[in-house]
Amino acid sequence: MNKDIMICGVGGQGTVLASKIIASAAMAEGNPVHSAETIGMAQRGGSVTSHVRIGQDAFSPLIPYGHADLILSFEPAEAVRNLKYLHPEGMVIVNTTAMKPVNESLKPSGYEGETMTAYLKEKCCCLPVNAEEVSAPFGSTKFFNIIMLGIAAGSGRLGIGAETIAREMEKRIPERFLEANRKAFETGYRIGQESQSI
Amino acid sequence: MKQYVMGNGAIALGALAAGVGLAAGYPGTPSSEIIENIARNAGEGVHVEWSVNEKAAMEVAAAAAYSGVRAIVTMKQMGLNVAADPMMCLAYVGVKGGLVVVSADDPGPISSQTEQDSRRFADFARVPVFDPSSPEEAYQMVQDAFEMSERYGTPVILRPTTRVNHGYAAIETPESFHPKAAEGFIRDPRKWVIFPRASYLNHGRIESRNTELAGVLSGYRYNTVEGPGNAETGGKAIVASGISYAYAKECLGAKPPVRLIRIATAFPFPEEFMVKALEGVQEVLVTEELSPYIEEQIWKTAGRHGLSLKIHGKLDGTMPHNGEYSTELISAAVNAFTGLQTGSSPISTDDAPALPVRPPVLCAGCPHRASFYAVKRAMQGQKAVFCGDIGCYTLGNAQPLDMVDTCLCMGAGITMAQGFAHTDPDIKAFAFVGDSTFFASGMTGVVNALYNEADMVLCILDNATTAMTGHQPHPGTGRNMAGHIVDKVDIGAVLRGMGVKTVETINPLELDKATEAVRRAAQEKGVKAIIFRSPCVALSKPTGKHAVDAKKCIGCRKCIREIGCPALLYEQGKARIDRNLCAGCGLCAQICPAGAIGGEKSE
């Protein structure tokens, strides 16, 4: 299997955990895997990306432009920022809730999530998800990263079995949070499956 | 055993596989996780420490290496500047046990002040350097570096770059690690005491050894030639090093259609290898990040061997000097150079709506925000200069706080404040320094201020961790990398011991008290210190959430205009607090003129 998966968002949204689970699940299924994370200053509210490269043919730690089979974006503008990485046949799963940077409150540029989502729909195969709506049963958006992971698995675009991902979650998530995370994953998985029928 | 690890983890595991007995370093992106991974995986008998700075780390490791123990020192490229003194001298004295210095370069720069190139430092110090292009190679090369260090009695530099440090790969390692046995320090003043005569003799020896090493490295397994043979090169070759080699491979594939030469050991330059690799070649494209080091070596090689060679790279403007390289950048250069069509056609985003800019900011609830705001409020309308330093609090420069007038290098804020005070007696000079930076390179600056009668206010932002690089412990935290609980080095006691007479410790989240403390300190003569003590918000439990009472909010936006907390939003004429981000620090509640912001205590 050769697959390039990008996870992007804003520092602090939990993208790193999602990418680590995808990478280790792909490896558990016997694939060679490479990945790369944004670490350092940008983690403080800046744009962050994780690149997961599955398969023999990856040399660069970063996905080249036009190669990503799937982009999981935790923020609408970040999906647009990284759209150049998407393979023309690839898919974007995007949170429609905008994270407005501090400077946006100071000097508004008119940034709205809707504009970005509309643009994505026009340009590529795109599955919009409202983080606040899907997170509502969980009381906060803390589990949204795992919901996204579930959507990706349910969409069939990840090429990794849901059971393998569940096992990797067990390894990485502390016992006391596991039940809530499992539910979050299932919630996402259903959304992902439904998207296949569209 | 197979482990999926970051490049820094691969370096750590490689060092352990090589039998490292001592590891020391100072945190710095992109190198920080090496020490943490060594500590996590080391067996019995390995000493691991976060040293107080890179110079200390280098000297601790030097003694281990004098004793025959294999030692590793880790730092970012800026750290090698701090450790330059022992590094340069150690190159002359030499080592007995292998000593590998990891200096991680940061093209971009992504999290650094400069785009300096540690390969040049290796040349400057006349010690060998290895340049891995992937985590897998880094794992092997650190072991090769130990072998070479021990065989030739010299420190060796391993120079990864950010994308290698932060890239993940699966590494096959032994089940357990054991430090290599050492015979201990054997007294020999003629060898271990550096003196002009010894240095004169060693300098000669080092140069002949490097000539020998250039020959040895010409056969090194990671200096490689791929692609067409001498007869069918088409007269062209691409030279790459480090991560640029990975990008070139990404463009050209497993079997490159053009000759691809990789140099993994920039110094001593494997000239013999290069001359052979260039047989049948009339034109080369050199792709390397940071400085044109290999490009210059090819110029020298061509000159010495009378090769008729056109050399493209940074020096003729073909490749950029600054910034990170990428598959796309190298692909474009390769296509122009060879006429090949590498790369893909991505979706065009030229018509994309304007994207929001996201400069990094202090976290919601960060106590540094409160400290900066207290100083700003206290000094309103007065002539003042705010000298910043290296750490999360460099982000105090962002609007609307805008409280960093200078930032140069580790510890510089303290000494620069003195320079401003001496040259303008009317200015109130402030220095902001974090707790870890204070220990790393702030203390001598305070002594300098006392001795030379500077008027300054030293603001220590003590959040009880080294936050920016990933929350490493330091001497003030009472915890070390060996996992031991140790006596805390008390910053207040250190300052008083040096002779600072006014030392106040305050909680920055109590805004009025903090502001008053700053006002008092600014009026006094001499060196005054305020320790703003409040733990890093990423490490402490939220104390509750705050919320805006929409009925009371008058929509003045003071909270948004003045403190710039990412949890504060302005919607439909009112302020709102994002519950998912709020840490309950309460700074906004203290500045709201309408009393519209209140806290809910967490249960």
Side-chain angles (χ1 to χ4, degrees):
Chain A
M1 181 172 77
N2 276 308
K3 261 201 193 312
D4 284 329
I5 296 151
M6 169 176 268
I7 301 113
C8 59
V10 177
Q13 284 189 310
T15 52
V16 174
L17 178 64
S19 97
K20 282 195 170 158
I21 294 173
I22 293 173
S24 50
M27 212 167 68
E29 293 193 351
N31 301 291
V33 181
H34 289 87
S35 57
E37 306 284 357
T38 309
I39 291 161
M41 209 184 236
Q43 281 179 296
R44 311 273 178 266
S47 303
V48 294
T49 54
S50 299
H51 300 242
V52 182
R53 310 204 65 192
I54 306 168
Q56 210 62 259
D57 300 341
F59 294 97
S60 159
L62 305 182
I63 300 169
Y65 289 0
H67 271 242
D69 299 286
L70 179 65
I71 293 181
L72 282 179
S73 182
F74 286 56
E75 209 279 341
E78 295 314 307
V80 176
R81 202 187 302 280
N82 291 300
L83 192 59
K84 53 187 182 277
Y85 288 98
L86 191 71
H87 190 278
E89 307 284 303
M91 182 191 191
V92 175
I93 300 173
V94 60
N95 170 22
T96 56
T97 317
M99 280 275 285
K100 294 192 179 177
V102 174
N103 40 352
E104 196 58 35
S105 301
L106 293 169
K107 263 196 216 141
S109 71
Y111 165 48
E112 293 299 339
E114 292 76 17
T115 328
M116 298 295 161
T117 315
Y119 178 76
L120 289 167
K121 280 182 175 165
E122 209 177 282
K123 295 296 259 195
C124 62
C125 169
C126 166
L127 172 61
V129 184
N130 183 316
E132 284 179 5
E133 271 171 29
V134 298
S135 302
F138 299 93
S140 87
T141 53
K142 237 191 307 192
F143 302 102
F144 181 65
N145 55 353
I146 300 300
I147 299 179
M148 278 291 258
L149 190 61
I151 301 173
S155 76
R157 297 260 183 166
L158 216 47
I160 307 166
E163 313 72 44
T164 321
I165 296 172
R167 271 196 298 276
E168 291 308 315
M169 280 170 53
E170 277 169 33
K171 283 187 207 158
R172 291 184 178 268
I173 297 168
E175 178 82 43
R176 62 204 155 106
F177 299 123
L178 207 52
E179 198 43 46
N181 277 289
R182 266 198 206 112
K183 282 202 179 118
F185 183 77
E186 281 161 23
T187 304
Y189 194 80
R190 276 193 300 274
I191 300 170
Q193 274 190 319
E194 282 161 23
S195 79
Q196 283 192 36
S197 58
I198 299 166
Chain B
M1 186 168 54
K2 207 174 191 181
Q3 297 200 52
Y4 190 68
V5 290
M6 191 192 268
N8 283 335
I11 294 169
L13 294 169
L16 288 166
V20 80
L22 182 140
Y26 185 75
T29 311
S31 72
S32 310
E33 298 81 5
I34 304 171
I35 288 289
E36 290 163 349
N37 276 283
I38 293 177
R40 204 173 302 141
N41 292 287
E44 280 292 299
V46 180
H47 174 82
V48 191
E49 70 170 52
W50 279 128
S51 304
V52 77
N53 63 27
E54 295 86 352
K55 173 172 150 67
M58 185 82 75
E59 291 154 354
V60 168
Y66 284 12
S67 308
V69 172
R70 286 194 166 183
I72 190 166
V73 202
T74 75
M75 62 201 66
K76 69 183 296 174
Q77 89 283 31
M78 310 299 305
L80 191 51
N81 301 341
V82 177
D85 202 354
M87 176 81 230
M88 297 304 290
C89 300
L90 199 55
Y92 275 76
V93 174
V95 293
K96 188 164 81 180
L99 179 74
V100 174
V101 177
V102 183
S103 176
D105 285 350
D106 184 23
I110 301 173
S111 297
S112 304
Q113 303 108 288
T114 72
E115 284 196 293
Q116 67 190 61
D117 191 327
S118 298
R119 296 175 306 168
R120 278 218 194 269
F121 217 119
D123 181 331
F124 183 40
R126 315 305 287 162
V127 302
V129 59
F130 288 79
D131 186 9
S133 73
S134 67
E136 292 93 330
E137 273 177 28
Y139 175 74
Q140 297 297 339
M141 277 190 193
V142 69
Q143 300 177 62
D144 298 341
F146 271 111
E147 285 301 322
M148 178 173 284
S149 171
E150 217 158 84
R151 183 166 311 148
Y152 293 91
T154 176
V156 173
I157 294 178
L158 179 79
R159 189 293 295 250
T161 54
T162 305
R163 299 296 176 189
V164 173
N165 294 100
H166 292 168
Y168 284 73
I171 305 288
E172 189 67 44
T173 69
E175 291 295 324
S176 61
F177 304 106
H178 307 284
K180 194 170 178 256
E183 61 177 346
F185 181 61
I186 295 167
R187 200 170 174 274
D188 182 0
R190 273 181 308 182
K191 178 160 177 53
W192 302 123
V193 179
I194 193 164
F195 260 113
R197 176 74 192 160
S199 292
Y200 162 77
L201 293 171
N202 283 342
H203 186 187
R205 287 187 197 116
I206 288 164
E207 293 303 334
S208 9
R209 177 205 70 205
N210 284 346
T211 308
E212 182 192 338
L213 272 178
V216 170
L217 290 167
S218 280
Y220 185 51
R221 60 187 159 143
Y222 289 115
N223 291 326
T224 55
V225 187
E226 292 159 78
N230 289 346
E232 56 282 345
T233 55
K236 292 187 175 181
I238 294 159
V239 178
S241 91
I243 198 70
S244 296
Y245 169 74
Y247 297 145
K249 282 290 276 184
E250 186 72 41
C251 301
L252 298 167
K255 292 201 174 104
V258 58
R259 183 173 290 188
L260 176 60
I261 304 165
R262 182 241 311 247
I263 298 291
T265 56
F267 183 85
F269 190 71
E271 193 169 298
E272 205 180 300
F273 162 82
M274 188 48 104
V275 170
K276 266 199 201 134
L278 289 175
E279 269 174 30
V281 174
Q282 284 97 46
E283 203 173 354
V284 289
L285 170 69
V286 188
T287 63
E288 56 187 324
E289 291 178 318
L290 304 172
S291 75
Y293 185 80
I294 289 172
E295 192 180 348
E296 288 173 12
Q297 300 311 309
I298 295 175
W299 274 100
K300 285 186 196 167
T301 305
R304 210 163 8 236
H305 295 263
L307 306 179
S308 164
L309 197 63
K310 267 195 197 156
I311 303 163
H312 306 292
K314 293 173 193 278
L315 297 173
D316 73 343
T318 304
M319 301 299 291
H321 279 275
N322 55 341
E324 235 196 324
Y325 284 10
S326 63
T327 301
E328 290 71 32
L329 188 140
I330 289 185
S331 173
V334 164
N335 292 355
F337 177 61
T338 60
L340 291 167
Q341 286 296 315
T342 71
S344 57
S345 19
I347 297 170
S348 160
T349 51
D350 296 344
D351 55 348
L355 292 168
V357 184
R358 293 189 197 278
V361 288
L362 294 171
C363 301
C366 174
H368 297 336
R369 177 176 292 105
S371 305
F372 281 122
Y373 188 70
V375 177
K376 189 173 188 172
R377 205 161 77 151
M379 297 316 293
Q380 196 111 50
Q382 295 187 59
K383 191 174 174 188
V385 62
F386 305 113
C387 300
D389 223 299
I390 308 289
C392 279
Y393 50 98
T394 315
L395 301 178
N397 76 320
Q399 296 291 346
L401 284 172
D402 192 15
M403 280 294 286
V404 179
D405 293 332
T406 68
C407 179
L408 187 65
C409 62
M410 289 285 287
I414 296 175
T415 17
M416 290 189 72
Q418 300 162 36
F420 286 118
H422 292 314
T423 43
D424 182 352
D426 299 330
I427 209 163
K428 300 279 186 201
F430 283 78
F432 293 92
V433 68
D435 38 355
S436 185
T437 305
F438 173 76
F439 288 116
S441 53
M443 294 189 291
T444 45
V446 179
V447 176
N448 193 65
L450 290 162
Y451 178 53
N452 293 301
E453 306 166 275
D455 283 322
M456 67 172 290
V457 183
L458 171 61
C459 300
I460 300 201
L461 307 179
D462 181 2
N463 62 355
T465 188
T466 318
M468 180 59 101
T469 47
H471 301 107
Q472 291 79 14
H474 63 64
T477 62
R479 226 162 23 88
N480 66 17
M481 201 64 224
H484 299 155
I485 303 294
V486 293
D487 287 339
K488 287 184 188 180
V489 179
D490 180 332
I491 297 175
V494 169
L495 291 169
R496 281 183 211 99
M498 286 173 173
V500 181
K501 293 191 181 65
T502 303
V503 181
E504 257 200 87
T505 300
I506 50 125
N507 177 0
L509 299 178
E510 293 176 4
L511 184 61
D512 288 338
K513 281 188 197 163
T515 311
E516 269 318 302
V518 177
R519 280 199 188 112
R520 278 196 301 277
Q523 278 160 9
E524 259 181 69
K525 279 276 174 208
V527 182
K528 296 84 55 181
I530 304 172
I531 302 170
F532 294 87
R533 182 168 291 160
S534 183
C536 174
V537 67
L539 293 184
S540 50
K541 275 202 159 178
T543 48
K545 304 273 177 196
H546 276 69
V548 179
D549 182 342
K551 280 188 229 102
K552 287 194 197 158
C553 177
I554 54 171
C556 70
R557 301 173 76 230
K558 184 176 184 196
C559 52
I560 289 166
R561 273 188 290 111
E562 297 202 354
I563 60 174
C565 174
L568 282 167
L569 309 165
Y570 187 70
E571 288 170 356
Q572 282 116 38
K574 304 274 179 191
R576 183 172 79 82
I577 291 172
D578 183 341
R579 279 186 60 85
N580 292 312
L581 290 176
C582 179
C585 76
L587 180 64
C588 55
Q590 294 175 67
I591 69 164
C592 176
I597 304 177
E600 322 159 15
K601 284 271 168 252
S602 55
E603 55 292 341

